Amino acid sequence: MNDNTKDGKKLGVGMIGAGSSAKNIAETISVLDTLEFKGICNHDEAKAKIIAEKHDVPFTTSDYKELCNKDDIDFIVVSLPHGLHHEVVMHALKKNKHVLVEKPIATTIQDAREMINLAREKNLKLGVHFQCRFFDAVQEARKLLLAGKIGKVLQANVSVMWYRDQDYYKKSNWRGTWKLEGGGSLINQAIHTIDEMIYLVGDVKKLFGFWKHAIHDIEVDDLTAAAFVFENGVLGTLQTSTATKAAFPAKLTIFGSEGGLEISGNILTIHDASGNKETIDYAAKEGGQVGSEKDPKKFSLKAHSRLMNDFVEAIINDREPLVNGEEGLKSLKVVRAVYDSNGENIINL
Amino acid sequence: MSRIIKAGLLGAGWSANNIVKAVKNIKNLEIIGVYNHDAEKASKFARTHDIKIHSDNPEVLFNNEDIDMIIVSLPHFLHYPMTMKALEKNKHVLVEKPIAISAKNAEKMVETAKKKKLLLGTCFQNRFNDATINAKNLIEKGDLGKILQANISVLLKRDAPYFNDNSWRGTWSKEGGSALINQSIHFIDLMLYLLDTRPKKVAGFQDHLIHDIETEDNATAAFVLENDMIGTIQASISVKSQIGSTLIIHGSEKTMKVTQTAIEIHAPNEKTIKINFLEKMDIDLKSMKVLALERLLRNFSDAIINQGTPKATGDDGLAALKFVLKIYESTIKNKTR
């Protein structure tokens, strides 16, 4: 990034998509002085125009190919219904753009692999927008784990028990479908927490799980439960829901022989061996709640900025971003393993 | 005149001690004999608790005509042979959990009791906790809506002496497992009891991550029950902070957390309701546990007197056993440890 400031050249950014997470990313882009926001594409161009106006973006279109043809754009942010990620990312890479894609990386492992391979072939950066890894709570947890604060790590649990009403699915033409959402509570709501778990604990090796649509009239899951073992021998469980009305904050729990850690949004609770606990609320410190079950749209953008900075530095210094395609694929593998297992088989990841 | 049930107790360990304490408050149940393989221990136990007969030969109790029921409180691998001998001698049997360490043997126990029209009960005393009784009422009233998922978390501490001082523990042949079959089986039964269902499919992972034992000190599993509900279990006996055991039941309308001593009810846009039964009943945990055991023993002796069915049967013991065995089987089959 310093090199960049030296030649005074800013990276040009284009964004494809104009939904709620695209709006957050647009906020992030507009405040970073290393970036120049060059264009926004949305199939309904009017929505692109609203964001463009707010952030002084000179170009809008309804054709993503047109955006990818622009020479002044160095990288493209893709924030679309999950099932469109593959097609659009592949095209952007073909047009020699670095790509930062929203989570999940894609809806199938094969699609994700193709994206990763093409980026590698073309020596382009592919990043996945798992900003939660950049929360202070997660970064601090990582430090504590590496320092052996909770002893030998024994188990991890992901619990994302939320509620979405039928309107949430009805009003959307892509949610609740395999083709466009690629799953439900797991791939959409829980994947951030799953990604945090992988970042902190390691890669999942084998998994057994169940998914169902318990109360909603949808193709995909509104309820899941799974057990798994990590490559390093740690054991784990997860449970997700958009079907249970009594919602709880999304939570990652890691416990070891000498204590435990709980991460909920940007709040870290540390348990010691004697049963004492200490809670550090980074969200309150930053003045913004993160991923609250009541208002998932209310994000603090600090983690967004850190992720964006990391991606920009990766381009400038020609290194891998912290959450590259391979890293982004890991949580998708866990999600897909639950869908593929479905109470029949233990899946090897 | 009301009948008094006379019991013979096999075992003189920690859990036998609790049983004796619990029986003291039951008018129609009396322990008249105790067996331990160590004659001295049996005699000391009998003296301490004012029990008439003591022996290092269990046949002494099986052959005693006065004895109506046998309580089996022995290392797990002895549950099956001792129960079978007692049933053969026409004694009703209340067996500590797990009912046995193999499903085949547990099935034989259940069949034999049925054939001989004797009662076989499993010592799942958590069914008698006030927390459980209240939880059961709320579920039966439909308070939680459609029950969708259950999550069991059993995070306890067992130290090295726990295994070293009892050579049968930590072995497949004698304990038959550890964190699941010994500690977690209580909350597995609690779930099956509260939701009035049986396990359909269970698989998972287990390993010994801390203790130097053959069996598991950590395990996780996912399952679906006969009522189509799904869930997870995480079990550990190597957590120093001893977090405890919790069952979370997620209904479409409300979620309920159940522990041995408390329930918590979470509903959308409502304040969480927490009921701590230790506070409510003004007793300590130890007394509460003995009280639950007392209720279980009274329920069993009443069932003998009234020719009824105990609240925790051999069938219930078999169902919970099958649940944990499926996790062991899947681990072996899939070479996950």
Side-chain angles (χ1 to χ4, degrees), chain A residues 324-340:
Chain A
N324 64 10
E326 287 290 351
E327 281 299 305
L329 173 57
K330 288 174 178 176
S331 49
L332 178 66
K333 277 184 167 179
V334 170
V335 166
R336 284 301 325 171
V338 179
Y339 296 148
D340 292 342

Side-chain angles (χ1 to χ4, degrees), chain B residues 1 4 13 17 74 77 87 130 134 137-139 145 183 190 193 206 208 210 236 246 254 272 281 299 312 328 333:
Chain B
M1 196 192 80
I4 291 178
N17 209 52
L74 293 169
F77 73 106
L87 291 171
D130 277 48
N134 279 269
N137 278 339
L138 291 171
I139 290 168
Q183 282 77 26
L190 201 60
Y193 169 65
Q206 49 91 4
H208 42 89
I210 294 288
S236 177
T246 311
K254 290 180 186 179
T272 301
M281 297 159 69
N299 173 269
Y328 297 143
K333 204 177 109 199

Side-chain angles (χ1 to χ4, degrees), chain A residues 261-282:
Chain A
L261 301 172
E262 277 174 47
I263 298 161
S264 191
N266 205 357
I267 302 168
L268 173 66
T269 302
I270 305 160
H271 297 260
D272 72 11
S274 333
N276 303 314
K277 64 175 182 178
E278 179 200 355
T279 296
I280 312 168
D281 188 345
Y282 293 101

Side-chain angles (χ1 to χ4, degrees), chain A residues 145-210:
Chain A
L145 286 168
L146 289 171
K149 174 86 179 173
I150 64 165
K152 183 180 160 89
V153 176
L154 303 172
Q155 292 198 24
N157 171 258
V158 164
S159 183
V160 183
M161 302 301 284
W162 286 0
Y163 181 68
R164 295 290 180 269
D165 58 19
Q166 187 63 43
D167 266 5
Y168 171 82
Y169 293 104
K170 250 190 200 158
K171 282 182 181 161
S172 155
N173 55 3
W174 66 279
R175 292 187 203 275
T177 67
W178 284 113
K179 197 173 182 307
L180 288 173
E181 192 176 15
S185 66
L186 259 182
I187 205 166
N188 199 340
Q189 278 76 26
I191 203 164
H192 275 300
T193 317
I194 294 169
D195 177 67
E196 284 174 19
M197 176 184 76
I198 292 165
Y199 178 54
L200 295 176
V201 179
D203 296 354
V204 174
K205 186 178 169 190
K206 286 171 190 254
L207 180 145
F208 177 72
F210 297 88

Side-chain angles (χ1 to χ4, degrees), chain A residues 152 155 212 239 258 344, chain B residues 201 209 228 232 235 240:
Chain A
K152 183 180 160 89
Q155 292 198 24
K212 52 199 293 191
Q239 54 270 164
E258 306 292 326
E344 296 299 329
Chain B
K201 270 185 198 169
L209 297 176
D228 223 23
T232 57
K240 277 199 184 141

Side-chain angles (χ1 to χ4, degrees), chain B residues 45-116:
Chain B
F45 191 89
R47 231 179 306 128
T48 311
H49 299 291
D50 204 13
I51 296 170
K52 281 171 238 164
I53 307 161
H54 56 86
S55 176
D56 59 353
N57 178 5
E59 302 291 339
V60 170
L61 302 183
F62 298 147
N63 291 327
N64 187 311
E65 295 283 327
D66 292 338
I67 288 178
D68 304 284
M69 69 179 273
I70 294 287
I71 302 169
V72 183
S73 178
L74 293 169
H76 301 172
F77 73 106
L78 294 172
H79 289 185
Y80 166 70
M82 292 296 189
T83 300
M84 290 303 279
K85 278 182 194 165
L87 291 171
E88 277 157 27
K89 299 285 183 174
N90 293 308
K91 311 296 186 198
H92 302 285
V93 179
L94 177 64
V95 59
E96 261 295 352
K97 51 82 210 169
I99 181 169
I101 58 176
S102 94
K104 216 175 92 189
N105 287 349
E107 272 160 9
K108 271 192 221 161
M109 290 157 72
V110 170
E111 275 164 32
T112 308
K114 198 188 266 176
K115 215 184 291 165
K116 302 201 68 147

